[in-house]
Amino acid sequence: MLVGGLDPGSGAGVARDLLTASALAARGLVVGTAWTEQGSHSDCTIEPRTPERVQAALASALARIGGPGSAVKIGMVATAPIAQAITAALASYAGPIVYDPVLRASSGDSLYDGDRDAILALARRASLLTPNLAETAWLLDRPVRSESDAREAARSLGAFGIAAVLVKGGHLEGDATDVLLSPAGESIFSSPRIAGPSPRGTGCALATAIAVGLARGEPLELAVASAKTWLTRQIAGARTVGDERHL
């Protein structure tokens, strides 16, 4: 189950999620939270769906899956009431939930209008939260600039009652290093940085790939490791689409 905003260029959002699931031979159902117009170098416009329609669509889609072999991946939620509607719709869902708290577009424009409480409540419902450094800093209201900052930030987010946190370090200096904190402990995942412009939608793709692994019964650490290895290969083979780099 893929929940998030629609990027008409397919570089990010639920379009990228669906492409990722397909590349990994998984079937994806899509629930849109907003229509967007965005790109790496243009202003972003957002047309959110109503919370009631998002909740109804998600409930309908969950009724089709529900059993073993499923997972939910959440991306852009647009507003606090939408985040609350998603949290409510997932109240009785027993499968894994991966939440990538997409807060800004590639252009830097905000994709979320609301407070931290609604995001943190949804994060507490998730099996795994996957914020990047900027999203982590926003959630904690403090800068996150180094690997040691990321490790401490993961512990701070865990203290909010979030089951597991993967702080993505794609914007750190040096290797691309991610920090996973779960009930099993802390794990560090590093891969060499690939030269060139960063493709769009890498965070969306990583979270979706993790969700696919969890749906297949992989333990969390293995699902993260497999997804990161897959994403690194995709970044190395990224192609130019218009004025953007796409996976």
Side-chain angles (χ1 to χ4, degrees), residues 85-228:
I86 293 170
T87 303
L90 292 171
S92 61
Y93 177 70
I97 301 169
V98 178
Y99 178 28
D100 182 28
V102 181
L103 300 175
R104 291 194 177 277
S106 299
S107 62
D109 293 311
S110 177
L111 295 176
Y112 175 67
D113 180 14
D115 58 22
R116 290 177 179 81
D117 289 344
I119 295 293
L120 289 171
L122 181 54
R124 283 191 288 271
R125 182 64 191 86
S127 310
L128 176 67
L129 179 71
T130 65
N132 62 25
L133 297 182
E135 291 155 356
T136 303
W138 183 85
L139 288 168
L140 296 174
D141 195 23
R142 69 174 191 246
V144 182
R145 301 192 181 101
S146 65
E147 182 179 329
S148 62
D149 287 348
R151 295 172 69 181
E152 177 57 34
R155 290 190 287 271
S156 296
L157 289 170
F160 283 117
I162 300 170
V165 180
L166 180 71
V167 177
K168 299 175 295 189
H171 296 291
L172 292 174
E173 296 294 329
D175 289 346
T177 300
D178 303 338
V179 177
L180 173 66
L181 185 69
S182 73
E186 181 187 83
S187 299
I188 305 296
F189 300 88
S190 291
S191 59
R193 189 171 301 280
I194 297 170
S198 177
R200 292 191 66 218
T202 54
C204 303
L206 180 64
T208 301
I210 294 170
V212 169
L214 294 175
R216 291 173 174 163
E218 294 178 2
L220 178 58
E221 186 169 338
L222 175 59
V224 172
S226 299
K228 189 169 174 68

Side-chain angles (χ1 to χ4, degrees), residues 6 20 58 68 70 81 124 146 178 201 217 223 235:
L6 177 67
T20 299
L58 183 52
S70 69
R124 283 191 288 271
S146 65
D178 303 338
I235 293 173

Side-chain angles (χ1 to χ4, degrees), residues 22-134:
S22 178
L24 294 168
R27 175 173 176 258
L29 300 180
V30 173
V31 173
T33 61
W35 306 105
T36 75
E37 297 174 16
Q38 58 178 296
S40 298
H41 309 294
S42 60
D43 292 337
C44 179
T45 61
I46 301 168
E47 183 181 345
R49 295 187 73 190
T50 66
E52 294 78 12
R53 295 314 310 156
V54 172
Q55 185 169 345
L58 183 52
S60 175
L62 286 171
R64 302 187 201 179
I65 55 170
S70 69
V72 174
K73 184 267 180 175
I74 306 165
M76 174 190 172
V77 300
T79 68
I82 291 175
Q84 292 160 354
I86 293 170
T87 303
L90 292 171
S92 61
Y93 177 70
I97 301 169
V98 178
Y99 178 28
D100 182 28
V102 181
L103 300 175
R104 291 194 177 277
S106 299
S107 62
D109 293 311
S110 177
L111 295 176
Y112 175 67
D113 180 14
D115 58 22
R116 290 177 179 81
D117 289 344
I119 295 293
L120 289 171
L122 181 54
R124 283 191 288 271
R125 182 64 191 86
S127 310
L128 176 67
L129 179 71
T130 65
N132 62 25
L133 297 182

